Amino acid sequence: METIETIENNGIRARIVVDPDPINPRKDGLNKAYALTIDTHLGQYIEVDEDGGPLAEAWARISWRKDAVEVFERYARIYWDATTFFDHKSDGATVIWYVLGAEVPHLDLLSPPYFYIRFEAEQYRRWAAGEVYGVITERMTWWMPVDPTDERTTMLWEESNAQWGINGYDLARWEAEEAAPYRVDAVA
């Protein structure tokens, strides 16, 4: 497992590595937004969600129109009080993300639905691009010989913790900095 960056302080080091087996964030059961994949660039990309949520049938009825995205978003806002986010990038599937207005009170969101939808979309994009990391925390350990006449000691790094599934390098770096504190009194 290749280390991307190492942060070392006070006998603790944190290594940032690429997560070798990241879980698709759309399959972890924690999603609150629906993702309606409308273009996979001729099958080059996988569909974000297989069913597209409760408004997939409405999309299927109008998807042939040139103004289908605008009509769908308007329909979702007017009839379902939905919050939508149209996510169109050249390096991935084109998706309409949405949350139905009736579901918002039950979702326990910490921010307005639009920001949460953007967060879920960005999380998925990072996973699809392979930008999921792990932080392995290690402590410096001195190994003393069993034989008292042997004066050699060995310093080794011993793994104390590992955190996987961190979406985005910036968050992984922050986690690594938190794991390897700069202050001496912060070391437990």
Side-chain angles (χ1 to χ4, degrees):
M1 191 173 329
E2 182 182 346
T3 300
I4 297 171
E5 184 176 356
T6 302
I7 297 172
E8 185 177 330
N9 290 303
N10 302 320
I12 298 174
R13 78 176 178 186
R15 295 185 299 122
I16 301 172
V17 298
V18 174
D19 191 334
D21 190 26
I23 297 171
N24 180 341
R26 299 303 300 167
K27 304 214 185 265
D28 65 7
L30 302 174
N31 302 301
K32 299 176 185 204
Y34 299 104
L36 180 63
T37 307
I38 59 175
D39 183 12
T40 60
H41 297 275
L42 300 174
Q44 181 178 357
Y45 304 107
I46 62 172
E47 289 197 18
V48 176
D49 282 345
E50 293 172 13
D51 68 353
L55 301 183
E57 186 179 325
W59 170 256
R61 281 183 279 169
I62 63 165
S63 62
W64 57 271
R65 297 173 57 140
K66 285 185 179 182
D67 61 349
V69 172
E70 294 82 14
V71 170
F72 176 82
E73 287 186 310
R74 186 172 176 206
Y75 165 78
R77 279 191 307 272
I78 292 171
Y79 290 100
W80 296 93
D81 190 26
T83 302
T84 63
F85 168 59
F86 178 59
D87 188 15
H88 175 68
K89 298 202 169 139
S90 61
D91 62 343
T94 301
V95 182
I96 299 174
W97 298 81
Y98 64 96
V99 171
L100 300 178
E103 295 176 355
V104 170
H106 307 292
L107 296 180
D108 295 326
L109 299 179
L110 298 175
S111 60
Y114 181 78
F115 294 111
Y116 186 81
I117 294 168
R118 297 273 317 244
F119 169 75
E120 275 197 22
E122 187 60 32
Q123 214 178 19
Y124 176 79
R125 289 248 180 230
R126 286 181 179 155
W127 171 82
E131 295 177 19
V132 182
Y133 302 93
V135 174
I136 300 171
T137 307
E138 301 167 318
R139 291 185 174 274
M140 186 185 307
T141 306
W142 291 93
W143 290 86
M144 306 300 282
V146 175
D147 181 2
T149 61
D150 190 353
E151 296 180 3
R152 294 176 295 161
T153 58
T154 306
M155 186 205 61
L156 298 171
W157 288 103
E158 192 172 71
E159 185 177 320
S160 60
N161 191 24
Q163 183 179 359
W164 299 98
I166 303 170
N167 277 320
Y169 180 77
D170 292 339
L171 183 57
R173 177 129 170 74
W174 182 84
E175 291 287 351
E177 288 172 353
E178 288 292 308
Y182 288 96
R183 295 186 347 256
V184 175
D185 62 352
V187 179

